[in-house]
Amino acid sequence: MKIATFNINGIKARHQALCDWLDESDVDVVLLQEIKSVNENFPSELFEDRGYNVAVHGQKGFNGVAILSKLPLEDVSRGLPGDESDEQSRWIEATVTGERAIRVCGLYLPNGNPAPGPKYDYKLAWMERLRRRAEELLAAEEPALMAGDYNVIPQPEDAAKPEKWETDALFLPQTREAFRKVVNLGFTEALRARTRSPGVYTFWDYQAGAWNRNDGIRIDHVLLTPQAADLLRDVEVVSELRGREKPSDHVPVVVDLEA
DNA sequence: ATGGTGGCAAGGCCA
């Protein structure tokens, strides 16, 4: 089973590019972030026509996550637990069953800039809620993954120019520590597990020719429970999409699970 | 130090 995470930066502007990729790839499940759309305006038919089931957790203008799946989506849950007052749409999860049942969680972790400030406080609080949900997933001792735009550069080697990010919310020591706290509960970070991955990025800013100079960062991650890590066959970053017409500033990360 | 780009949606906000 191939499961992808992809921050598409606006479904309205990107549905054609997304469909082009779906038509030429063989992904079974796609976790989308930054759809920037309310549920009613999400073009579900485009994906249903291609054999995908669709679950959306949208929001007007910003954020928004969704799941596309060729397998039925069961037990869909929207919103990260732990704060009833949080109105931002950044989390969606569901169970997909091929040879094995996998719990897939799609997430769009807050950017957090400028730091310090209320947005950074929100990011850290969100990461603490993520940690608590992560503990529950591990306790279930079943195949599960949390994939998405984490807005975290885990290590200096995950940025072409780490010095540029020193005071940025994506790379501050507190951010990296909070991410480590989640991973070290017992997850396998899929790409890091497969390669040392220096020079492998998933985001290039639209500005200043970042793509042409390969001035990227690796901030889209797939975290696997031990039971899912046992099923890991392959990991791929589809960086080629970043060079196409009207690209997202992120590219997909695809894991292939024996499931 | 500033500005550099892009999406949503219709004026800024967010990244």
Side-chain angles (χ1 to χ4, degrees):
Chain A
M1 188 189 304
K2 287 192 176 178
I3 303 173
T5 173
F6 191 6
N7 179 323
I8 47 160
N9 190 22
I11 191 64
K12 188 178 167 188
R14 214 74 61 205
H15 59 78
Q16 190 55 57
L18 176 57
C19 285
D20 289 348
W21 180 59
L22 291 176
D23 289 343
E24 70 197 48
S25 64
D26 53 352
V27 291
D28 302 291
V29 178
V30 186
L31 303 166
L32 296 172
Q33 301 91 39
E34 281 208 89
I35 63 171
K36 298 187 177 181
S37 162
V38 292
N39 292 358
E40 308 84 83
N41 292 343
F42 190 83
S44 298
E45 328 72 50
L46 287 176
F47 310 114
E48 287 161 358
D49 289 348
R50 288 167 168 79
Y52 289 93
N53 301 283
V54 179
V56 186
H57 183 37
Q59 180 183 336
K60 184 179 165 68
F62 312 108
N63 309 321
V65 288
I67 307 179
L68 316 179
S69 173
K70 291 197 167 170
L71 298 156
L73 289 164
E74 301 169 275
D75 300 321
V76 177
S77 177
R78 295 168 176 83
L80 181 62
D83 182 358
E84 293 300 316
S85 69
D86 185 2
E87 294 184 346
Q88 300 191 32
S89 298
R90 297 179 173 276
W91 178 272
I92 188 169
E93 51 179 280
T95 300
V96 293
T97 306
E99 291 170 39
R100 300 282 305 272
I102 314 275
R103 188 70 177 166
V104 295
C105 306
L107 66 100
Y108 176 47
L109 203 148
N111 176 293
N113 282 304
K119 290 190 177 175
Y120 193 57
D121 294 342
Y122 174 67
K123 177 174 194 155
L124 293 177
W126 204 94
M127 294 182 84
E128 173 57 20
R129 287 161 60 199
L130 172 64
R131 193 186 60 73
R132 293 203 290 272
R133 181 71 190 110
E135 282 180 336
E136 294 173 354
L137 289 169
L138 286 171
E141 299 190 339
E142 284 166 4
L145 59 81
M146 307 189 300
D149 177 359
Y150 278 76
N151 270 314
V152 174
I153 304 167
Q155 307 256 74
E157 71 205 61
D158 298 314
K161 299 176 180 174
E163 66 281 0
K164 219 172 75 171
W165 300 90
E166 266 167 20
T167 61
D168 194 285
L170 278 60
F171 192 54
L172 284 173
Q174 249 188 304
T175 305
R176 296 162 59 193
E177 182 187 344
F179 181 72
R180 274 201 307 275
K181 252 182 165 173
V182 174
V183 176
N184 290 346
L185 291 171
F187 288 87
T188 294
E189 204 254 87
L191 194 87
R192 182 54 53 70
R194 282 295 154 135
T195 81
R196 274 199 62 254
S197 70
V200 177
Y201 310 125
T202 64
F203 169 93
W204 297 260
D205 201 293
Y206 288 121
Q207 302 179 70
W211 165 249
N212 290 325
R213 297 185 289 114
N214 195 26
D215 181 8
I217 51 178
R218 194 173 71 90
I219 56 175
D220 299 86
H221 309 298
V222 180
L223 269 53
L224 307 164
T225 64
Q227 294 76 19
D230 284 343
L231 305 175
L232 181 62
R233 270 198 289 245
D234 196 17
V235 188
E236 183 194 2
V237 179
V238 192
S239 46
E240 177 253 326
L241 294 195
R242 187 62 179 81
R244 295 191 182 181
E245 287 298 306
K246 268 180 74 79
S248 171
D249 40 8
H250 295 250
V251 296
V253 180
V254 185
V255 294
D256 186 9
L257 302 183
E258 208 162 319

